[in-house]
Amino acid sequence: MNLLETLHAFPAFANVPDEQLQWVIDRGEEVSYPKETVLYKPHEPVDYLLLLLEGRIRIDAGANGADDELVVYGDHSILGVLPFSRMKSISNRLIAERPTTLLRLHRDNLPGLAQNCYELTEALVHQMTTRVRDYTKLTQQNEKMASLGRLSAGLAHELNNPVAAVVRSVGTLNTHLRATPEAFKVVMNLNLTSDQVDCVADVFFKKLEQQSTVDTRRLTLLERTMLEDDVTDWLDDHGVEDHMDLAGPLVDYGFTVDDLDWILEKIGDENLAGVANWLVNNLVTEKLVSDIGEASKRIASLIDSIKNYTQMDRGAGKQEVQLAEGLRNTITLLDHKIKSKQINLTLTIADNLPVVCGWPGELNQVWTNLIDNAIDAMPAGGKLEISCQPDRRAEGETFVLTRIIDNGAGIPEDIRDKIFEPFFTTKEIGKGTGLGLDIVQGIMKHHNGSIKVQSEPGHTEFSVCLPT
């Protein structure tokens, strides 16, 4: 197959006249490369239209030698600079994945191509628009996946804590319940009247109720130690074995020496040890069940936040959106990152906040990008302020104003106008695609809203306006 026939095999050139393809052949250069040849390094100038006659070219997702595959081109693909394209360089590596042959045309010939080869130019311009659409879709997906990765890392940490608590408490509860038969024997040997049993039960449930309103864990270490010492000494003085093991749970639920004196008066010395052990056994069981319940509620809360954040159980259409819910869910999913940098977060949401009409998933992506960027911009111990309130323009139009303010280093004035441009990022390679704020601005346009930024050292404020 000669070169002209090979070019006609390109799907994009199916309707291009022979003389136009020959025009490219006459001015182009056929080159071959062995396997694993690096055709372009990141940020090298791209000066050629590349027609892949035979072989396979891989574009890496990363720079600095990273070999994560972004996209692969096979036979009859079109790469490089195209007519009317503003491409100067690419940010990735191009590698010949196997022996490859190209027909390349220098960019200096592109004006002549556009002037003399209408059908060919039309085919190449169509290729350029397809490339832009596909690459934008791919990079936006990468940005979403990067955002999801940041959220999932924090979410995994947040879920790990309550899950570990459940596992730990279940194990302890299982061990504790194995001792129940022995404890039951002691209880059966007690010589208590119905009134005495009622007294013990009353004080038990009274302490459980108090525990829900008074948290003894707020005691200082010194206060708690003094209480435990008092209870331990009292139990020891009254001949109760294992008094040191019993004191801690009793203090946890607010038992004092006065409570123990009252119980002793009601049940007598001969029943004290058995009753004390019964109380502690049930308090420990109650504590473990309570811990499992609290951890389970935390897990359920996180899962509910995930469902609301991703809108997985709702339709994809436009709907009424509660911005407060989206902000709180986003903060929940970023909570680990906030805690890890010891960020002081202040969230202020107006009580009379109206709903807005929009796409909840898109708006959650706005909050994620802006809050995540603010966290990254701040040093450890920074201050993050988020407020959401109704507002009204002079002409009477109502909207919701959301402000995200951080006390980081600020955005330098010389790049402030560029932050919403596609692929512009100040983050290190691999930590940002440069699409976050571009996507945010696109979402704002989709909602007929607006986003503005004011920044100086120690105060950066993003203001998001959404019509009601």
Side-chain angles (χ1 to χ4, degrees):
M1 183 181 294
N2 60 36
L3 195 51
L4 184 60
E5 292 174 335
T6 302
L7 291 183
H8 265 302
F10 280 63
F13 299 155
N15 299 316
V16 176
D18 287 358
E19 60 270 19
Q20 295 183 22
L21 295 178
Q22 190 61 50
W23 190 96
V24 174
I25 294 171
D26 294 342
R27 290 160 179 78
E29 175 188 12
E30 188 174 348
V31 292
S32 296
Y33 301 96
K35 179 180 179 180
E36 294 302 322
T37 300
V38 177
L39 306 182
Y40 286 98
K41 296 178 181 178
H43 309 300
E44 279 189 345
V46 177
D47 291 326
Y48 289 94
L49 164 65
L50 304 175
L51 305 178
L52 182 51
L53 305 176
E54 183 181 16
R56 186 179 175 92
I57 291 178
R58 179 180 79 243
I59 297 181
D60 287 345
N64 295 335
D67 57 2
D68 294 333
E69 184 180 284
L70 178 62
V71 66
V72 173
Y73 293 94
D75 296 351
H76 308 148
S77 297
I78 302 171
L79 299 87
V81 67
L82 296 168
F84 310 113
S85 169
R86 293 180 292 178
M87 175 186 285
K88 300 296 182 183
S89 65
I90 62 172
S91 57
N92 310 100
R93 293 191 307 167
L94 267 68
I95 300 172
E97 202 168 69
R98 65 188 187 201
T100 297
T101 301
L102 297 167
L103 178 65
R104 65 183 191 179
L105 182 71
H106 195 273
R107 67 163 61 242
D108 291 344
N109 293 294
L110 295 182
L113 185 149
Q115 185 176 359
N116 297 292
C117 307
Y118 176 80
E119 287 83 2
L120 178 56
T121 301
E122 184 180 34
L124 292 173
V125 169
H126 178 73
Q127 185 72 20
M128 180 173 65
T129 57
T130 301
R131 176 195 291 176
V132 170
R133 182 176 61 250
D134 291 346
Y135 187 68
T136 299
K137 186 186 297 182
L138 178 63
T139 49
Q140 286 180 344
Q141 182 64 24
N142 287 342
E143 172 65 24
K144 289 181 180 179
M145 293 304 294
S147 177
L148 181 61
R150 293 191 294 270
L151 289 175
S152 62
L155 182 61
H157 181 90
E158 289 294 318
L159 280 171
N160 184 64
N161 287 336
V163 167
V166 169
V167 172
R168 182 173 59 251
S169 295
V170 167
T172 305
L173 182 59
N174 184 51
T175 302
H176 179 68
L177 291 177
R178 288 177 184 272
T180 299
E182 292 301 320
F184 181 68
K185 290 180 183 179
V186 174
V187 171
M188 292 300 294
N189 289 324
L190 293 178
N191 185 22
L192 295 173
T193 66
S194 295
D195 289 342
Q196 289 174 322
V197 171
D198 289 340
C199 287
V200 174
D202 287 344
V203 74
F204 173 76
F205 287 110
K206 179 181 177 182
K207 291 301 181 180
L208 291 185
E209 291 175 5
Q210 289 179 350
Q211 179 70 6
S212 64
T213 57
V214 180
D215 191 351
T216 58
R217 286 170 293 185
R218 293 178 183 173
L219 295 171
T220 65
L221 179 60
L222 180 60
E223 290 172 333
R224 181 182 175 83
T225 300
M226 291 176 64
L227 283 174
E228 287 192 10
D229 286 345
D230 289 343
V231 172
T232 300
D233 291 342
W234 189 95
L235 293 171
D236 187 29
D237 291 342
H238 289 82
V240 178
E241 297 181 0
D242 300 323
H243 47 270
M244 296 186 68
D245 294 332
L246 302 179
L250 289 171
V251 170
D252 281 340
Y253 279 84
F255 279 89
T256 65
V257 169
D258 291 340
D259 295 319
L260 297 176
D261 283 334
W262 184 86
I263 292 172
L264 179 60
E265 181 183 342
K266 297 295 183 181
I267 64 173
D269 288 330
E270 68 279 7
N271 294 311
L272 178 61
V275 168
N277 277 279
W278 180 88
L279 282 171
V280 168
N281 281 334
N282 283 276
L283 291 174
V284 169
T285 301
E286 184 71 26
K287 176 68 165 56
L288 291 171
V289 171
S290 176
D291 288 346
I292 292 171
E294 288 299 318
S296 299
K297 288 179 183 178
R298 177 59 177 162
I299 294 170
S301 174
L302 286 167
I303 292 173
D304 189 52
S305 294
I306 297 166
K307 288 175 63 179
N308 290 330
Y309 179 88
T310 59
Q311 303 297 310
M312 65 173 62
D313 55 354
R314 303 184 187 180
K318 199 173 185 181
Q319 57 189 267
E320 290 188 343
V321 182
Q322 298 283 353
L323 294 187
E325 179 182 294
L327 283 167
R328 290 192 178 101
N329 289 329
T330 303
I331 290 169
T332 296
L333 297 181
L334 289 171
D335 191 49
H336 169 59
K337 195 168 184 178
I338 293 170
K339 289 179 179 176
S340 68
K341 293 190 72 173
Q342 300 176 324
I343 301 299
N344 181 15
L345 172 64
T346 302
L347 176 63
T348 306
I349 297 178
D351 294 332
N352 59 336
L353 197 65
V355 298
V356 301
C357 197
W359 290 264
E362 291 187 0
L363 292 175
N364 285 341
Q365 193 170 358
V366 170
W367 312 138
T368 300
N369 281 323
L370 294 181
I371 296 172
D372 189 58
N373 284 347
I375 296 170
D376 287 341
M378 285 186 288
K383 184 178 181 181
L384 176 61
E385 300 177 51
I386 302 173
S387 65
C388 195
Q389 60 189 21
D391 210 333
R392 187 183 297 271
R393 290 193 171 95
E395 56 271 25
E397 180 184 358
T398 59
F399 60 96
V400 177
L401 174 63
T402 303
R403 301 162 68 221
I404 298 173
I405 304 170
D406 69 74
N407 66 340
I411 304 171
E413 186 175 357
D414 59 334
I415 66 170
R416 206 170 297 157
D417 294 334
K418 300 179 182 179
I419 61 173
F420 291 104
E421 293 179 4
F423 311 113
F424 178 82
T425 180
T426 59
K427 295 182 180 180
E428 299 174 21
I429 293 175
K431 293 189 177 180
T433 63
L435 279 173
L437 291 178
D438 173 54
I439 290 174
V440 166
Q441 191 170 59
I443 292 172
M444 286 298 99
K445 291 178 181 178
H446 194 202
H447 287 77
N448 295 318
S450 64
I451 180 169
K452 297 179 181 179
V453 60
Q454 297 177 340
S455 185
E456 60 185 37
H459 184 96
T460 296
E461 176 178 333
F462 281 88
S463 300
V464 175
C465 291
L466 290 165
T468 60

